[in-house]
Amino acid sequence: MPSSAPNMLSKCTIFPDQKSSMGNLKLSVSDLPMLSCHYIQKGCLFTEPSLPIHTLIPLLKSALSRTLSLFPPLAGRLHTDSQGYVYITCNDAGVDFVHAIATGIYIRDLLSPPDVSQSFKEFFLFDRKVSYSGHSSPLLAVQVTELPDGFFIGCAVNHAVTDGTSFWNFFNTFAQVCRGANNCIRNVPDFRRDCILISKAVLRLPEGGPKVTFNADAPLRERIFSFSREAIQRLKTRANNRRLTEAYDASELMHKQSNDHRHQKENGKVATILENWFKSSAVNSKPQTATAGETVEISSFQSVCALLWRAVTRARKFPASKTTTFRMAVNCRHRIEPKLEAYYFGNAIQSVPTFASAGEVLSQDLRWCAEQLNKSVKAHDEAMVRRFVEDWESNPRCFPLGNPDGASITMGSSPRFPMYDNDLGWGRPLAVRSGRANKFDGKISAFPGRDGSGTVDLEVVLAPETMAGLESDPEFMLYASSQL
């Protein structure tokens, strides 16, 4: 593929088109831990616009200015007062906007599998900037990169200011305004700060601010694996102990392996996997219940997560006694009373861990793994949200993002986020991609599929040897395919 880093054509500061009257917004117990995380980097790849670039760039700048008036915090800065409380000061200081061009990179180059193109990493500003830097840097930066046959809009936004729900509401609103729909904005953000997430506890930070809690230079591979609606349905049916699907998928797996010469050298390993699968799933599976008379229904996404948990654990080749962790980001907006507005602006997430030994993950069936995840999420009710808040207040700290023991999977983002609802006036995005931010071994991000039919894409980041194991895992690849 051509190697052509983008060249910056222009850089400026974009200010809101209306002066903000909003006061300071105090960071919550969900915001503050993110001060040690990188800025979120997410963006959309588009085909060539229906208007010339000299018209497009002013249009995007104008739309961003009007959108910032609807999201005043993004044009502000962080401020720590004399007591140690951290606020967003809505002072209209503005955001960075860069227009760049990459003449040697085509859409086909960017979307060619197997690994995610490194060129995407060059389409974002604030590379590896820590969110604490928002005290002196803009909280948002937008880079528009021209390609010979399209363009990419990459946003870098402070993670102590937004979570995925808030970010995609901003991006969707920006797209609405860009295509001229600013008089009927669908999802107005809510900036209130009167819930249990707002605390009197003070997070004491080191001089100069916190550092990221993982090695950002560790060698990694990144791939997008897609799950079709049909594959997800089969997986969900299997996870819910429908034996016909178990038998069908086992038969398909055996047929696939017998006709795939690439795996002939690994027949012994495949045979062992198949044998264990039949023993734990097709033969011994019995409907399990959470309580007497209450059958647990495993969701589609929990089924996909369980499949990933098993395959990554298998690829990491742990001893049976090794404890593995699967973390999921849980939206708390609807879990507390009174409920937060659906478009509450800020972070309203908590990281929910599920623990199991490697031996349990691999010897039990898919349903067992999915049910452990189901139990963790189901148990995260209002009482658990409050317990998490109280635990943080007793020991205020930044979130330890990363994989220190090598046995964790961290699932972020969501296939429910409206990532493709971003028609700027000439069509939906071709793809959604992220930058280098917050990438480490075991970091997974879930995206909706572009077709809107219920497909799911997983952005999988793993150590190279673990990725190689995942790519050759027969159970995982029966359901997953590389995104083209």
Side-chain angles (χ1 to χ4, degrees), residues 10-132:
S10 65
K11 180 180 180 180
C12 66
T13 301
I14 303 296
F15 302 97
D17 74 334
Q18 297 179 28
K19 187 174 177 61
S20 172
S21 60
M22 188 172 294
N24 292 344
L25 299 181
K26 189 177 183 181
L27 295 192
S28 73
V29 300
S30 285
D31 297 323
L32 290 165
M34 302 301 180
L35 286 170
S36 63
C37 296
H38 291 146
Y39 275 51
I40 296 171
Q41 292 179 321
K42 290 288 191 297
C44 295
L45 177 66
F46 296 88
T47 57
E48 193 170 4
S50 55
L51 65 166
I53 198 71
H54 69 267
T55 303
L56 173 65
I57 297 302
L59 172 65
L60 294 175
K61 290 179 179 179
S62 174
L64 180 58
S65 176
R66 284 176 283 156
T67 305
L68 289 174
S69 292
L70 301 171
F71 291 81
L74 291 179
R77 299 290 185 271
L78 298 181
H79 170 72
T80 299
D81 69 11
S82 58
Q83 294 179 289
Y85 293 121
V86 185
Y87 296 85
I88 306 170
T89 300
C90 302
N91 59 1
D92 300 322
V95 307
D96 283 356
F97 184 97
V98 162
H99 174 204
I101 187 169
T103 57
I105 302 175
Y106 291 79
I107 288 173
R108 64 175 180 272
D109 301 320
L110 292 170
L111 298 184
S112 297
D115 287 16
V116 173
S117 171
Q118 289 299 308
S119 293
F120 282 111
K121 315 308 179 192
E122 307 300 325
F123 296 165
F124 296 93
L125 297 171
F126 292 174
D127 190 35
R128 300 187 184 183
K129 182 180 284 290
V130 178
S131 291
Y132 181 84

Side-chain angles (χ1 to χ4, degrees), residues 116-186:
V116 173
S117 171
Q118 289 299 308
S119 293
F120 282 111
K121 315 308 179 192
E122 307 300 325
F123 296 165
F124 296 93
L125 297 171
F126 292 174
D127 190 35
R128 300 187 184 183
K129 182 180 284 290
V130 178
S131 291
Y132 181 84
S133 302
H135 283 80
S136 56
S137 297
L139 302 182
L140 170 68
V142 178
Q143 177 174 319
V144 178
T145 304
E146 282 186 69
L147 308 174
D149 55 351
F151 68 101
F152 189 89
I153 298 181
C155 294
V157 63
N158 194 295
H159 207 337
V161 174
T162 67
D163 60 8
T165 298
S166 297
F167 171 79
W168 287 109
N169 189 31
F170 158 75
F171 206 122
N172 294 162
T173 303
F174 172 53
Q176 283 182 264
V177 174
C178 190
R179 66 175 184 265
N182 48 306
N183 292 326
C184 54
I185 299 303
R186 290 196 300 265

Side-chain angles (χ1 to χ4, degrees), residues 252-264:
E252 284 289 299
L253 181 53
M254 292 183 70
H255 177 74
K256 178 180 179 182
Q257 290 301 321
S258 66
N259 289 283
D260 191 344
H261 297 294
R262 292 174 301 171
H263 294 281
Q264 292 303 311

Side-chain angles (χ1 to χ4, degrees), residues 116 222-227 232 235 301 303-309 312 326 409 411-415 433 443-449 455-461 467 470 476 480-483:
V116 173
E222 180 180 343
R223 287 191 64 175
I224 304 290
F225 292 99
S226 295
F227 294 81
I232 293 172
L235 192 58
F301 190 56
S303 303
V304 172
C305 288
L307 178 75
L308 181 73
W309 193 4
V312 171
F326 197 111
I409 296 173
M411 178 64 73
S413 199
S414 171
R433 291 292 186 269
K443 177 64 169 65
I444 318 295
S445 296
F447 300 163
T455 58
V456 172
D457 295 334
L458 293 185
E459 179 192 76
V460 178
V461 180
M467 183 68 82
L470 184 67
F476 183 78
S481 62
S482 293
Q483 186 185 77

